[in-house]
Amino acid sequence: MPAGYRGLPVVTDVPCAAGCTACLDECPTEAIVIAEGRVQIDLGRCVYCGRCEEVCPVHAFKFTADPKQGGRSLGDLVVTAGTRPTVARDVDLARIFGRSLKLRQVSAGGCNACELELSALANVNFDVQRYGIEWVASPRHADALVLTGPLTEHMRDAVRLTWEAMPDPKFVVAFGACAISGGLYREGHIDRAFLGEHIPALYLPGCPPHPLTFVHGILDLLGVR
Amino acid sequence: MRALAVDRVASWLPELGWRDWLASPEVGRPVAVFGRNAGDGRVELTAVLDHGVDGLAVVATRVAAGVPQPSLAAAAPGLAGFEREIHEQCGIAYVGHPWLKPVRAQGADSAAAMDAYPYYAVEGKPVHEVAVGPVHAGVIEPGSFRFQCHGERVLHLEIQLGYQHRGVERLLLAKAPGGLERAVPLVETVAGDSSVAHAIAFCLALEAQEPVSAEVALSRGILLELERVGIHLAGLSGMAADIAHLQAAAGYGRLRTVVINASMRLCGSRFGRGGVRPGACGYALDAEGRAGLANAIATLKHDLPAIDERFFGDLAVRRRFVGVGVLDMKRATEIGMVGLCARASGVRVDQRIGGIYEQFPLPSTTAATGDCWAREWLRMREIHESLAWLARVLEGQPGWARGPRTAFSPGRSRLCVGVAEGCRGEVVYALETDAAGDVVQVKVQDPSFRNWMGLQVAVRDNEIADFPICNKSFDLSYCGHDL
């Protein structure tokens, strides 16, 4: 585990203080819901600022150093007491791409933090090539489209053209809070219709997600063990 | 790191006086010039000027909306980008401007404006055009590059940006009523590889009337220099990869991990996020944190010289970088370059003065040749200078605790400016309040906004095959420009 990393948050079963909205007021992305007097975090929106942990009077939140977090649906990303978001193996994707996966990355409003973490996957520290996973320059060579950023309006056509240039079978990975939910830019100059039509097979939360979040997520999806 | 708070009323100049003022070089270097539709049929224009050791100054004027203004860009090319932005944001037509093209297509029907971008074209039978982007062949942000070539020679390059436009300034302004001090997470993603510099400049603007303690300033300075070292290492690693120098690509890349993990141990994020907050230290520094940081610095100081020697001592590297992508001092000054790219052309522009840098000075180095070699050599030098600075400030440092964020009360009719020297140059935030004390403008300026023109100029007469290393040597931000 990366020491000091503000990664996977866990929430306790402790009831909220009566009438308290401290975490809701602080959360920059409305990632927290209070249901039946207990807190839940939607990791699809969370930007891991840690403010909820700092302000909660009953210490309901704790950010751990665990980078292993992800989901195959948006619902998987909601953290409640005693649950953690995990990526289950996808039988079909595992059969097709389990031994070789080529990725095309498109940043559509990404701030270059997600992009740098994805680039880091190819450095000597993370070295995903050893798993048969590789970045490719041409969409023609790609099996998966890894999207970062909230999907700006100005990248709408470029994202579609990249996807259409990729041969079947193919799938989408949403990397980071912006790509998953719009993140901090939900009210921004964005157009998320593409993700409505092409539901990602894998969601990797974080702002930005740690490279190990990607490694764990993709290996779990493909059943590599 | 510098901040300034001024009374709006005191900064007004008559329109003519303003123009004379801006066009004369002795008034100071324009750091930012921006406009705002005041809503009363007038546009307010504001300029932040740098007077070097004498600090920052602000001058402003009001002009009638919809009335064309004479452009100053022909006399002062460094103002051309500002005029384009004011044209786009406030609708002012500048007469005599070289070409009032879209900056990031912020107006209505912006997608159509992006498609209809008016590229400069060179005509003639032997001239051909190369179009690249917006999606590039690597894991990199989008932008469209249009080359006019004669054979392998680049006659002209034009870069169309705006693909990353998210509406940062509008979103920040919308956050103002609830308290801008809550907006740091958004500010940290304006240019995510400069999260710390943006957060610091933003906080400096918020705190312009009540500067923070030396301890808070030091906590920020440490993260800022770690960010600089990390991004410079990423730049060097990328340049090495671009010329197939595997050892330096791997070596610098590995050491970047060491640095950004040091930031992570301090504040939880490899990008320094959460480490800067208004009015207080954003992270605690205890004995363990200090030891971890000292270890990381020692690892770099031990490992870097061998990699530097392999890379900068290699004839192959010298042959690729020397004399390629030259931006000379005269041109760099003229177009208003900032940060490392300016310093590599011999222009001494560095906002690491004042505040914590007054207590612990950091030497600002320049290079003379303005080529790819100068920019990479300077990256390497700045890494060593920042590491030495970090070691010095940590000596005998007792540490500090994380403090509570403070609220921001800007006052009425104020303009508050914060400037921080990020890894690419000066990051500028300006907040303006009206007579009722409401925030009416949040201006954000990433150094890339100033520097993209430098790349376009530098690749002229170079081989098109050298474009990747020219581009990487400038290492500019797309999202920081596009906002």
Side-chain angles (χ1 to χ4, degrees):
Chain A
M1 278 211 211
Y5 180 56
R6 194 162 47 250
L8 175 70
V10 291
V11 298
T12 65
D13 205 22
V14 178
C16 295
C20 179
T21 59
C23 60
L24 304 181
D25 299 340
E26 278 297 322
C27 183
T29 51
E30 295 169 42
I32 301 168
V33 172
I34 297 178
E36 293 169 14
R38 307 287 196 279
V39 294
Q40 302 178 358
I41 309 182
D42 178 357
L43 296 190
R45 286 192 173 188
C46 181
V47 291
Y48 297 73
C49 66
R51 289 292 296 167
C52 50
E53 182 178 2
E54 205 176 324
V55 300
C56 178
V58 298
H59 308 291
F61 303 88
K62 173 147 186 56
F63 282 82
T64 72
D66 196 346
K68 187 170 174 170
Q69 46 186 336
R72 282 173 52 189
S73 72
L74 289 173
D76 290 346
L77 301 178
V78 178
V79 171
T80 58
T83 67
R84 60 171 296 157
T86 51
V87 178
R89 178 167 177 258
D90 182 306
V91 179
D92 291 330
L93 294 180
R95 181 174 52 78
I96 302 166
F97 301 118
R99 296 182 66 81
S100 168
L101 179 68
K102 306 293 175 196
L103 307 166
R104 173 66 245 200
Q105 205 273 318
V106 173
S107 170
C111 73
N112 206 27
C114 282
E115 292 76 5
L116 280 170
E117 293 299 51
L118 289 172
S119 295
L121 287 165
N123 74 19
V124 292
N125 298 97
F126 299 103
D127 187 22
V128 290
Q129 292 95 322
R130 66 194 145 137
Y131 302 112
I133 299 167
E134 213 168 358
W135 296 111
V136 293
S138 169
R140 295 273 190 245
H141 303 154
D143 305 313
L145 176 63
V146 181
L147 286 173
T148 56
L151 277 75
T152 52
E153 207 173 303
H154 293 175
M155 278 300 283
R156 180 183 52 207
D157 294 346
V159 168
R160 278 184 194 281
L161 287 168
T162 304
W163 176 252
E164 283 163 13
M166 290 168 54
D168 285 318
K170 57 187 173 182
F171 63 99
V172 177
V173 176
F175 187 80
C178 283
I180 298 172
S181 67
L184 291 154
Y185 296 97
R186 285 173 301 130
E187 309 298 324
H189 200 63
I190 61 176
D191 181 341
R192 298 180 55 77
F194 177 84
L195 283 174
E197 294 158 34
H198 307 282
I199 308 291
L202 180 62
Y203 296 93
L204 297 169
C207 186
H210 195 283
L212 289 173
T213 303
F214 185 92
V215 174
H216 285 302
I218 214 97
L219 294 188
D220 287 347
L221 181 76
L222 301 179
V224 178
R225 55 182 70 232
Chain B
M1 296 191 203
R2 301 205 279 180
L4 174 74
V6 295
D7 190 345
R8 278 305 263 166
V9 181
S11 59
W12 295 123
L13 283 178
E15 210 179 303
L16 270 175
W18 148 277
R19 275 203 296 276
D20 293 343
W21 190 271
L22 263 193
S24 51
E26 60 272 19
V27 299
R29 182 180 62 87
V31 170
V33 186
F34 51 89
R36 181 178 79 86
N37 268 317
D40 58 355
R42 285 188 295 187
V43 173
E44 297 180 2
L45 301 173
T46 305
V48 179
L49 302 164
D50 185 353
H51 289 272
V53 287
D54 294 331
L56 302 171
V58 167
V59 290
T61 192
R62 282 181 274 220
V63 299
V67 176
Q69 300 291 320
S71 168
L72 298 173
L79 298 175
F82 295 127
E83 290 183 348
R84 274 172 70 184
E85 190 184 52
I86 293 167
H87 171 65
E88 182 162 298
Q89 293 185 338
C90 307
I92 298 242
Y94 281 98
V95 179
H97 188 283
W99 207 337
L100 282 171
K101 298 184 180 205
V103 176
R104 50 184 86 88
Q106 278 180 272
D109 206 5
S110 64
M114 288 294 287
D115 284 345
Y117 187 87
Y119 286 103
Y120 179 79
V122 179
E123 288 173 354
K125 212 171 172 188
V127 176
H128 69 280
E129 188 175 273
V130 180
V132 183
V135 177
H136 299 274
V139 181
I140 181 177
E141 294 180 69
S144 275
F145 300 151
R146 194 71 60 95
F147 299 87
Q148 310 292 323
C149 293
H150 182 257
E152 300 291 307
R153 190 162 68 100
V154 178
L155 298 176
H156 181 76
L157 162 66
E158 184 161 356
I159 301 173
Q160 181 195 1
L161 297 169
Y163 296 95
Q164 300 286 69
H165 178 55
R166 296 147 289 169
V168 166
E169 291 178 343
R170 177 171 62 78
L171 291 171
L172 277 171
L173 190 58
K175 282 192 175 288
L180 270 176
E181 63 275 3
R182 290 169 188 264
V184 173
L186 180 64
V187 165
E188 285 170 337
T189 63
V190 172
D193 49 25
S194 303
S195 293
V196 176
H198 274 264
I200 291 174
F202 178 65
C203 287
L204 286 172
L206 286 175
E207 302 151 352
Q209 309 193 85
E210 297 169 60
V212 290
S213 69
E215 189 175 85
V216 175
L218 179 58
S219 76
R220 293 172 180 177
I222 288 172
L223 281 185
L224 184 62
E225 294 310 320
L226 285 172
E227 178 174 85
R228 186 179 330 278
V229 173
I231 295 300
H232 282 2
L233 284 169
L236 284 166
S237 174
M239 280 297 271
D242 274 357
I243 60 165
H245 197 291
L246 298 185
Q247 200 165 40
Y252 287 128
R254 168 177 67 86
L255 291 177
R256 171 174 175 264
T257 306
V258 173
V259 174
I260 64 178
N261 284 354
S263 292
M264 177 175 74
R265 279 193 299 275
L266 292 177
C267 69
S269 157
R270 281 157 49 101
F271 293 80
R273 292 183 179 176
V276 177
R277 60 176 56 180
C281 294
Y283 65 96
L285 185 73
D286 55 15
E288 197 188 337
R290 213 168 44 240
L293 202 47
N295 260 338
I297 294 167
T299 301
L300 265 88
K301 281 187 161 174
H302 179 267
D303 292 5
L304 270 172
I307 305 169
D308 292 339
E309 198 186 314
R310 287 282 167 112
F311 192 56
F312 290 95
D314 192 325
L315 180 65
V317 176
R318 192 171 276 277
R319 278 172 60 85
R320 285 301 306 273
F321 289 175
V322 171
V324 173
V326 177
L327 182 67
D328 66 39
M329 185 175 174
K330 178 175 174 290
R331 194 53 70 84
T333 309
E334 198 174 76
I335 60 181
M337 296 291 291
V338 297
L340 178 136
C341 293
R343 296 193 287 275
S345 294
V347 184
R348 199 171 286 281
V349 189
D350 195 330
Q351 299 290 358
R352 287 179 292 176
I353 47 177
I356 197 62
Y357 297 109
E358 203 169 301
Q359 193 183 345
F360 299 103
L362 203 158
S364 182
T365 306
T366 58
T369 49
D371 52 2
C372 287
W373 175 268
R375 286 183 288 275
E376 294 320 300
W377 177 86
L378 196 53
R379 274 198 175 88
M380 182 267 287
R381 286 289 311 166
E382 289 196 355
I383 289 169
H384 288 283
E385 282 158 6
S386 293
L387 290 173
W389 187 86
L390 284 164
R392 195 161 70 247
V393 302
L394 284 168
E395 252 170 54
Q397 176 50 243
W400 52 76
R402 188 169 72 178
R405 184 187 70 200
T406 54
F408 166 55
S409 51
R412 296 160 194 273
S413 298
R414 303 289 283 176
L415 183 81
C416 301
V417 181
V419 181
E421 183 77 17
C423 54
R424 297 188 180 88
E426 57 198 28
V427 175
V428 187
Y429 278 73
L431 315 168
E432 189 187 338
T433 60
D434 63 11
D438 293 328
V439 177
V440 291
Q441 177 154 26
V442 182
K443 184 67 206 155
V444 183
Q445 189 176 289
D446 186 85
S448 301
F449 177 72
R450 311 296 307 281
N451 284 359
W452 276 106
M453 180 58 82
L455 171 61
Q456 299 178 74
V457 170
V459 298
R460 281 189 181 174
D461 284 325
N462 281 247
E463 268 184 58
I464 190 167
D466 277 334
F467 175 70
I469 58 170
C470 292
N471 188 20
K472 188 71 205 168
S473 73
F474 279 79
D475 198 27
L476 302 176
S477 171
Y478 300 75
C479 55
H481 172 278
D482 291 349
L483 301 179

